[in-house]
Amino acid sequence: MTLPLILQASVEEALANGTPVVALESTIITHGMPYPQNVEMARAVEDTIRAGGAVPATIAIMNGAIHIGLDDEDLEILGQTPDAMKLSRADLAVGITSGRVGATTVAATMICAQLAGIDVFATGGIGGVHRGAETSFDISADLPELGQTAVTVVAAGAKAILDLPKTFEVLETMGVPVIAYGQDELPAFWSRQSGLKAPLRMDTAAQIANAHVMRGLLGLPGGQLVANPIPEEHEIAQTEIGPAIEAALRDAEDQGIAAKEVTPFLLDRIFTLTEGRSLRSNIELVLNNARLAAEIAGEIARLR
Ligand code: PSU
Ligand code: MN
């Protein structure tokens, strides 16, 4: 038995030539956004990465293999498979051997990106420590993954549905550099401000690329989290998104939502409560992260 890793031709060629490549996840497509906006977002993100001079590699599990780079038809299938598995480190292997369609979370995408030799990955927001984790123990596998897999992840921070102070404490414990891009404060996904000072700040893609390569030279396992604030014109103020988050959390509690379902449930409720505004912001912040990720991948390619 050999590792079923299938690289799309454009990705294989780019990796062989040292052309920058940016990995993209698929859970955001299957569990993070409704159809058809999810597929439209996936295509727009890929176009943004191409415009930034890099090759996009959306990662998903299909037909018993890890696919690094999907074509238009694959994206459409993913976007329209409502029962796709949401795969993280724990169930990635089972997902592959099952033969079913599986979407990769931040954690699983990092694992697959590293297998393929991709340094940079763009997404919306990472998973983290859920509110009430002191009783539920619900802490996303994304956090320990950042502590052990050497991929730089560009996100708009952690999703604001989480307990952000606890999330950043755990990242510090795991030895993950958390880098705010262009501001002193950590962003909070739909909003630019979180009230939390960032442990690190960088203002250029070159600085982030240098730090990524230096971690490799030091032999340190684990990646970097780049917290890239959503552009001002697309943000939702804390005062507006806050009550929607609170209401969604109450609904989740009332309905006994737990484990893997929590994040998709909350995103969907907030979408309804904000009459679609949260989705529009989510799409814009992913595009913004794709732009920065392409730049960082370009700088890393230059250094190598
Ligand atoms: N970013 C988004 N929307 C999403 C996600 C990220 O804008 O839906 C997904 C990622 O795949 C992330 C997952 O890994 O949410 C977190 O899930 P959990 O909290 O169950 O670990
Ligand atoms: Mn969880």
Side-chain angles (χ1 to χ4, degrees), residues 139-157:
I139 301 177
S140 176
D142 293 351
L143 301 187
E145 203 59 53
L146 278 159
Q148 62 185 310
T149 301
V151 173
T152 286
V153 179
V154 184

Side-chain angles (χ1 to χ4, degrees), residues 86 127-128 130 136-141 162 258-263:
K86 176 184 167 187
H130 281 269
S136 70
F137 276 56
D138 189 347
I139 301 177
S140 176
L162 301 163
K260 280 176 177 269
E261 276 78 54
V262 175
T263 296

Side-chain angles (χ1 to χ4, degrees), residues 57 60 112 120 145 173 181 200 229 266:
C112 297
V120 183
E145 203 59 53
T173 304
Y181 185 67
L200 298 163
L266 292 174

Side-chain angles (χ1 to χ4, degrees), residues 25-29 31-33 86 88 104-107 109 123-128 130 138-142 159 161-162 189 259-264 267 282 285-286:
E25 61 149 312
S26 41
T27 296
I28 189 171
I29 303 173
H31 292 73
M33 295 182 186
K86 176 184 167 187
S88 191
T104 51
T105 59
V106 167
T109 305
T123 183
I126 63 160
H130 281 269
D138 189 347
I139 301 177
S140 176
D142 293 351
K159 283 190 277 286
I161 53 176
L162 301 163
F189 199 67
K260 280 176 177 269
E261 276 78 54
V262 175
T263 296
L267 291 176
N282 197 345
L285 65 85
V286 178

Side-chain angles (χ1 to χ4, degrees), residues 3 11 23 26-27 56 81 124 162 168 200-201 216 232 235 248 255 263:
L3 181 71
V11 175
S26 41
T27 296
T81 306
L162 301 163
F168 293 111
L200 298 163
R201 169 186 173 154
E232 215 168 319
E235 80 168 325
Q255 296 180 41
T263 296

Side-chain angles (χ1 to χ4, degrees), residues 207-244:
Q207 289 175 312
I208 298 166
N210 265 293
H212 176 95
V213 174
M214 184 58 74
R215 277 184 70 87
L217 293 173
L218 287 166
L220 292 175
Q224 309 190 106
L225 175 63
V226 179
N228 185 27
I230 182 172
E232 215 168 319
E233 61 271 31
H234 300 297
E235 80 168 325
I236 308 180
Q238 285 282 4
T239 47
E240 195 184 324
I241 198 75

